[in-house]
Amino acid sequence: MISFSRPLFAMLLEAVALLGGMSVAVAEDRAARKTAPPGTQTSAKTKTLEAGAIALQGNAPVKGFDIYLLGFHPMKEHPEQQMEVHHYCHQVNEDFAQCVLFDGNTKDANMNGIEYILSEKLFESLPAEERKYWHPHNGEILSGQLVAPGIPAVAEKALMQKKMNSYGKTWHFWNTGYPGGTADKLPLGDPMLAWSFNRDGEAMPGLVERRDRALDISTMEKRGDRAELRQLAHPQSGVDDLKGKFGRPTQDIPGVLDKGRAPPQGRRSTPSSN
């Protein structure tokens, strides 16, 4: 879920090397899938065919999905159905990215969704009817919930800065499990439109904390480190779409504002004379 150019990504990789040679591999194997689809074990013949395909066929369309982000999604029509989501993204250009979503980061993780990312500029070009499918990203960034595991803090912060004010359109095709719910063994039913958390308290108790313990990180520390990004935040569409639908108290995140609550540009409120 990002928006940055290849030259910047190269710079981030250089920062990784300079700051101790850390890599995304640091975060691997810490979030194995919990749901396995039914089926017989892969046969020797199938493995041979796979090996031949690897040797003879190209995989150009998937080679670019090398940006790893970890965050959370509630389903828009069922806000309490929410989960940890592993994004593997490819930046197509400065304004558009596409991501494949998984329920873990190990080799046997299930692919359970897709996400497309638009810059603010492209989002503003969409017709009004289309905008209801696109969730805002500032809440994910400024809350500290969205992370890029395995890269130094300075590189992660630069990445998040480039993603400020962007939007995502996310569909989950497979319910592979969520806290308090039962997983489907196979992709069943209609795809589900996912949304973003835009207030403290919207995430189910323990959801973020479990992720933080697994990765040995602190969402609150990341929030504090990203506080200066608030000055870049613009009011976004969709911040209030799930307001009041979580059945527990919530609080605004500083810097995260719905367009419907923002004063018109160029106008300032004045004290009443009454």
Side-chain angles (χ1 to χ4, degrees), residues 15-168:
V16 169
L18 291 173
L19 294 174
M22 297 174 63
S23 71
V24 173
V26 172
E28 294 297 325
D29 299 326
R30 293 189 179 184
R33 69 177 182 184
K34 298 179 177 64
T35 301
T40 57
Q41 187 174 359
T42 305
S43 68
K45 182 177 180 180
T46 298
K47 290 180 179 178
T48 300
L49 292 172
E50 289 176 346
I54 292 172
L56 299 175
Q57 295 180 310
N59 64 345
V62 298
K63 280 186 177 180
F65 289 80
D66 49 12
I67 302 163
Y68 174 37
L69 294 170
L70 177 53
F72 306 93
H73 288 162
M75 301 302 103
K76 192 172 187 183
E77 296 301 320
H78 304 281
E80 295 292 12
Q81 183 174 338
Q82 46 190 253
M83 64 200 71
E84 183 179 297
V85 183
H86 301 258
H87 308 62
Y88 290 86
C89 303
H90 168 56
Q91 193 67 37
V92 178
N93 57 47
E94 191 69 15
D95 296 291
F96 183 82
Q98 49 193 9
C99 307
V100 185
L101 310 182
F102 293 85
D103 61 359
N105 60 10
T106 57
K107 63 182 181 180
D108 63 351
N110 296 304
M111 185 184 76
N112 58 6
I114 59 171
E115 178 162 355
Y116 297 103
I117 312 300
L118 292 182
S119 66
E120 181 180 35
K121 177 179 72 175
L122 288 187
F123 175 80
E124 293 296 338
S125 72
L126 298 176
E129 180 64 18
E130 172 63 22
R131 296 183 188 187
K132 66 183 180 183
Y133 298 107
W134 296 82
H135 63 262
H137 284 150
N138 286 353
E140 297 184 78
I141 301 170
L142 296 179
S143 67
Q145 291 179 3
L146 184 65
V147 299
I151 64 175
V154 63
E156 182 184 62
K157 187 174 180 179
L159 188 157
M160 297 299 164
Q161 179 175 336
K162 290 293 293 183
K163 186 181 171 297
M164 287 293 295
N165 303 310
S166 65
Y167 292 83

